[in-house]
């Protein structure tokens, strides 16, 4: 989980709406998104209550386990205690509220206005989702309040005070992987219901929770295998899309390809150059709204007023249009490629709390070392075997290296190597033959299990006709073998006669079966 958080901990989803035990204690899971746009679990907690002090302790403990790294954005529901603890533990993190929960609360408190006017819902959603900057949001909000006489509405006043946590005009400035709700954590809550029950004790809880986590990890492994075997289809065969396909995972590439497709329908309205700074006005074909793209020629950086790259981490169509106008068509500039969306998102090493490199899979590391050493020593022996002097050198050094290895292993794990040494092993091996090692006087050696009989698996059901046909073939073959094997060489005529009689009997049997089948069909 520490490795996962090191790679994808820029966006965090936290939710405590799921209850796991019979006392209804809150269960909180720290969820994120990996480079395949899938759920990844960073950690979990069982809380006694949901006070501000409990959340403050929980967040502080979680970040200590994660080497102090804080996310860029955290998504939660509208919990007051949680909102109080977040700025104390992570003041630089942008706290976002789930827009779906916010819309449901607004529907509950403003139900009369939603029902009385068809345009109220459209104007409210415009304030929540469609405004791309603060000025546009303030104009839309003032229009909503004045048009529907909501100056005295306490619910809307409370929402306006925390507008920076939910309005997209403020949220697009911070990276959120394109997410606007806590759906990621809620879908994980729905997933673990298949594994957890209210009557589980703590040990059983961790065991079943680990199964749920392993399922999420298996999905990433399958996505990696799928990524290595399938090449995404290009809508337009151009160099920049081929480069994006090689760099990004499939979900990230699909987002980039959609933006490139939109850029083909965009028009450059104007371009103003001030020294090494270019200011472009871009609009979509058939739309009057314009977006401003500022491109600094010195460092190649670009910024668009739609803030898609800041919010999603993928270049928007407006910037792609500007790059195309500047003849940057072969590949995506390196500073516009976010590593967390690439195929190499997990490349590099993660450090634990004590600043030590974390080995994600120790068994895999051991297996790789084993394969490398085997290959290296086999090549060395292959070189030395052709020369007598070289062979003697390897033979002399073998005993010394073997003794040093045994000494190191004994120091690290004395229990495993206590009472065993190379000399005793060699003596036991040399004093016994392979037959003696496996069995002594018909008695099974201790530690070796007897081989059980193999059980045949289920077979396809066969009809009576198939069974009879197979039985006749076996009888015919056995009879012919008996006649041929028991007959002397000079009695070939009798053998052929017997075979002819058996063949005629088989032929008559087939006629009889065919007749019975016809009669059954007739009746």
């Amino acid at each position: 989980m520490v490795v996962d958080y090191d790679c994808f901990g820029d966006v965090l989803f936290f939710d405590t709406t799921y209850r796991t035990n019979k006392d209804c204690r809150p269960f909180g899971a720290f969820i994120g998104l990996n480079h395949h746009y899938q759920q990844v679990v960073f950690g979990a907690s069982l809380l006694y209550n949901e006070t501000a002090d409990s959340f403050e302790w929980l967040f502080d403990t979680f970040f200590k386990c994660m080497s102090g790294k804080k996310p860029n954005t955290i998504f939660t529901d509208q919990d007051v205690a949680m909102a109080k603890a977040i700025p104390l533990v992570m003041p630089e993190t942008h706290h976002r509220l789930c827009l779906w929960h916010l819309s449901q609360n607004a529907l509950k408190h403003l139900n009369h206005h939603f029902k009385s006017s068809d345009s109220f819902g459209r104007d409210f959603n415009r304030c929540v989702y469609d405004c791309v900057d603060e000025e546009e949001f303030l104009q839309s909000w003032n229009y909503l309040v004045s048009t529907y006489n909501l100056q005295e509405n306490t619910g809307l006043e409370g929402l306006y005070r925390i507008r920076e946590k939910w309005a997209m005009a403020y949220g697009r400035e911070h990276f959120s992987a394109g997410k606007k709700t806590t759906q990621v954590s809620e879908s994980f809550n729905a997933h673990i219901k298949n594994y957890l029950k209210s009557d589980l004790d703590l040990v059983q809880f961790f065991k079943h929770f680990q199964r749920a986590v392993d399922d999420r990890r298996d999905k990433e492994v399958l996505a990696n295998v799928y990524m290595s075997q399938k090449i995404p289809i290009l809508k337009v065969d151009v160099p920049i899309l081929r480069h994006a396909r090689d760099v990004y995972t499939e979900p990230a590439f699909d987002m980039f390809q959609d933006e490139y497709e939109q850029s083909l329908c965009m028009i450059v309205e104007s371009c103003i150059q001030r020294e090494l700074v270019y200011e472009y006005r871009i609009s979509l074909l058939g739309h009057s709204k314009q977006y401003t793209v500022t491109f600094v020629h010195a460092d190649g950086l670009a910024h668009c007023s739609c803030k898609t790259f800041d919010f999603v981490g993928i270049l928007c169509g407006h910037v792609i249009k500007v790059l195309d106008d500047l003849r940057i068509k072969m590949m995506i500039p390196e500073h516009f490629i976010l590593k967390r969306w690439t195929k190499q998102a997990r490349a590099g090493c993660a450090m634990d709390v004590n600043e030590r490199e974390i080995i994600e899979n120790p068994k895999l590391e051991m297996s790789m070392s084993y394969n490398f050493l085997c290959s290296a020593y086999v090549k060395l022996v292959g070189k030395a075997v052709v020369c007598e002097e070289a062979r003697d050198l390897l033979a002399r050094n073998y005993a010394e290296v073997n003794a040093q290895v045994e000494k190191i292993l004994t120091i690290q794990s004395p229990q495993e190597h206590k009472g065993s040494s190379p000399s005793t092993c060699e003596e036991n091996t040399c004093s016994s033959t392979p037959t003696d090692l496996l069995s002594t006087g018909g008695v099974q050696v201790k530690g070796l299990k007897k081989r059980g009989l193999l059980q045949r698996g289920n077979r396809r059901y066969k009809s009576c006709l198939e069974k009879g046909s197979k039985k006749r073939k076996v009888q015919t073959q056995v009879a012919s073998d008996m006649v041929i094997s028991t007959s002397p060489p000079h009695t070939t005529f009798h053998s052929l006669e017997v075979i002819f009689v058996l063949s005629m009997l088989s032929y008559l049997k087939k006629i009889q079966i065919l007749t019975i089948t016809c009669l059954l069909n007739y009746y």
Side-chain angles (χ1 to χ4, degrees):
M1 291 179 176
V2 176
V3 175
D4 293 337
Y5 184 79
D6 184 73
C7 299
F8 310 111
D10 43 14
V11 181
L12 192 62
F13 301 86
F14 183 73
D15 182 60
T16 58
T17 57
Y18 184 69
R19 299 292 187 267
T20 61
N21 52 22
K22 57 187 177 183
D23 298 325
C24 290
R25 300 302 179 193
F27 167 76
F30 294 91
I31 311 295
L33 286 172
N34 63 10
H35 53 322
H36 295 290
Y37 227 68
Q38 298 172 333
Q39 296 172 3
V40 56
V41 184
F42 300 139
S45 60
L46 286 172
L47 299 173
Y48 185 78
N49 53 29
E50 294 181 279
T51 63
D53 292 337
S54 295
F55 286 124
E56 184 178 352
W57 172 87
L58 173 62
F59 293 143
D60 185 62
T61 305
F62 175 75
F63 292 129
K64 284 180 181 178
C65 296
M66 300 300 171
S67 304
K69 179 180 177 180
K70 308 292 178 63
N72 295 333
T73 305
I74 181 171
F75 281 87
T76 67
D77 54 13
Q78 289 180 267
D79 187 272
V80 179
M82 206 180 300
K84 183 179 178 181
I86 287 175
L88 297 177
V89 181
M90 36 185 154
E92 298 180 357
T93 299
H94 185 61
H95 182 200
R96 297 288 299 167
L97 298 177
C98 175
L99 291 186
W100 186 85
H101 285 104
L102 186 136
S103 300
Q104 294 300 309
N105 291 335
L107 185 63
K108 185 186 302 182
H109 294 96
L110 301 171
N111 189 32
H112 171 71
H113 297 281
F114 277 100
K115 287 185 176 181
S116 61
S117 175
D118 296 334
S119 60
F120 179 81
R122 183 176 64 251
D123 294 335
F124 180 81
N125 289 333
R126 174 178 171 79
C127 296
V128 176
Y129 296 100
D130 299 337
C131 299
V132 296
D133 54 38
E134 185 177 12
E135 182 180 356
E136 185 180 0
F137 169 77
L138 293 176
Q139 291 177 356
S140 301
W141 184 266
N142 292 331
Y143 175 80
L144 178 73
V145 172
S146 60
T147 303
Y148 301 99
N149 299 320
L150 298 171
Q151 292 84 354
E152 303 297 328
N153 191 287
T154 57
L156 279 184
E157 288 181 3
L159 282 180
Y160 183 76
R161 284 195 296 269
I162 58 173
R163 60 188 180 278
E164 295 181 355
K165 294 184 178 181
W166 56 266
M168 290 307 302
Y170 304 94
R172 295 186 71 86
E173 298 178 355
H174 306 274
F175 179 77
S176 303
K179 289 294 184 179
K180 304 174 184 178
T181 66
T182 57
Q183 182 185 4
V184 176
S185 57
E186 290 175 1
S187 61
F188 180 74
N189 290 341
H191 173 70
I192 61 176
K193 287 181 180 179
N194 300 324
Y195 300 88
L196 303 180
K197 297 180 180 179
S198 60
D199 57 348
L200 296 179
D201 59 30
L202 196 60
V203 176
Q204 292 173 329
F205 164 79
F206 281 118
K207 180 180 178 181
H208 292 286
F209 176 75
Q210 184 64 43
R211 291 174 55 219
V213 174
D214 290 340
D215 273 0
R216 301 293 93 185
R217 291 175 179 165
D218 289 343
K219 288 184 178 296
E220 181 176 337
V221 172
L222 292 175
N224 288 332
V225 174
Y226 186 72
M227 178 178 64
S228 65
Q229 295 178 348
K230 180 191 174 185
I231 300 177
I233 299 175
L234 298 177
K235 296 180 180 179
V236 184
D237 191 5
V238 293
I240 195 170
L241 281 185
R242 289 199 295 268
H243 178 243
R245 181 178 63 181
D246 295 337
V247 172
Y248 288 128
T249 59
E250 186 173 358
F253 170 72
D254 290 340
M255 290 189 288
F256 182 85
Q257 187 165 228
D258 290 341
E259 293 292 339
Y260 181 85
E261 191 177 15
Q262 288 187 10
S263 71
L264 300 178
C265 301
M266 292 180 181
I267 304 172
V268 178
E269 299 288 351
S270 63
C271 177
I272 302 173
Q273 181 179 358
R274 298 185 182 92
E275 296 181 355
L276 296 178
V277 179
Y278 298 85
E279 186 176 293
Y280 286 82
R281 294 281 183 176
I282 310 292
S283 65
L284 190 63
L285 188 65
H287 294 73
S288 58
K289 187 173 182 177
Q290 295 183 359
Y291 294 90
T292 303
V293 178
T294 305
F295 182 84
V296 182
H297 193 273
D299 51 13
L301 295 178
H303 183 266
C304 182
S305 59
C306 73
K307 304 172 184 176
T308 299
F309 183 75
D310 300 330
F311 180 60
V312 184
I314 299 292
L315 278 181
C316 63
H318 312 106
V319 176
I320 296 175
K321 186 68 177 180
V322 170
L323 294 179
D324 184 74
D325 187 72
L326 294 171
R327 303 293 189 270
I328 305 176
K329 301 182 178 183
M330 299 304 297
M331 57 190 304
I332 307 170
E334 186 177 354
H335 46 266
F336 289 128
I337 299 177
L338 209 61
K339 182 183 176 182
R340 62 116 54 235
W341 293 129
T342 65
K343 297 177 181 179
Q344 303 299 324
R346 288 190 174 273
C349 58
M351 310 300 289
D352 62 7
V353 183
N354 300 317
E355 298 184 356
R356 294 175 300 187
E357 183 180 349
I358 298 174
I359 300 176
E360 189 171 0
N361 191 343
K363 292 184 179 180
L364 179 62
E365 187 79 11
M366 189 184 304
S367 177
M368 292 174 63
S369 300
Y370 178 82
N371 293 333
F372 170 75
L373 291 175
C374 283
S375 176
Y377 276 91
V378 166
K379 291 179 181 178
L380 181 62
V381 173
K383 292 179 182 179
V385 75
V386 297
C387 177
E388 184 177 357
E389 186 178 354
R391 292 198 302 268
D392 294 340
L393 176 64
L394 288 181
R396 286 195 304 269
N397 291 334
Y398 168 75
E400 182 181 353
V401 173
N402 191 19
Q404 292 179 358
V405 170
E406 286 294 330
K407 183 179 179 180
I408 293 173
L409 294 177
T410 305
I411 294 174
Q412 291 185 353
S413 53
Q415 296 295 333
E416 295 181 5
H417 296 82
K418 186 177 180 180
S420 64
S421 63
S423 59
T424 55
C425 293
E426 292 175 3
E427 290 174 2
N428 293 334
T429 306
C430 296
S431 61
S432 303
T433 63
T435 309
D436 295 333
L437 290 173
L438 292 177
S439 62
T440 305
V443 180
Q444 186 75 12
V445 179
K446 185 178 180 181
L448 294 179
K449 296 182 179 180
K450 291 184 179 181
R451 199 170 189 178
L453 295 176
L454 296 176
Q455 294 182 354
R456 295 183 178 180
N458 296 328
R459 294 186 176 181
R460 182 177 63 86
Y461 176 76
K462 296 182 180 180
S463 64
C464 59
L465 295 179
E466 290 179 302
K467 293 179 180 178
S469 175
K470 183 177 180 181
K471 187 175 180 181
R472 287 191 301 275
K473 288 181 181 178
V474 173
Q475 291 175 348
T476 305
Q477 184 66 30
V478 171
S480 1
D481 291 343
M482 290 175 60
V483 171
I484 294 173
S485 60
T486 56
S487 301
H490 61 275
T491 57
T492 54
F493 176 78
H494 298 287
S495 302
L496 293 173
E497 189 176 7
V498 172
I499 293 172
F500 175 77
V501 172
L502 292 173
S503 300
M504 289 300 298
L505 289 175
S506 176
Y507 179 74
L508 293 174
K509 197 80 172 180
K510 289 181 181 179
I511 294 177
Q512 183 180 4
I513 293 172
L514 182 62
T515 306
I516 294 172
T517 305
C518 293
L519 290 174
L520 289 174
N521 291 334
Y522 177 79
Y523 286 106

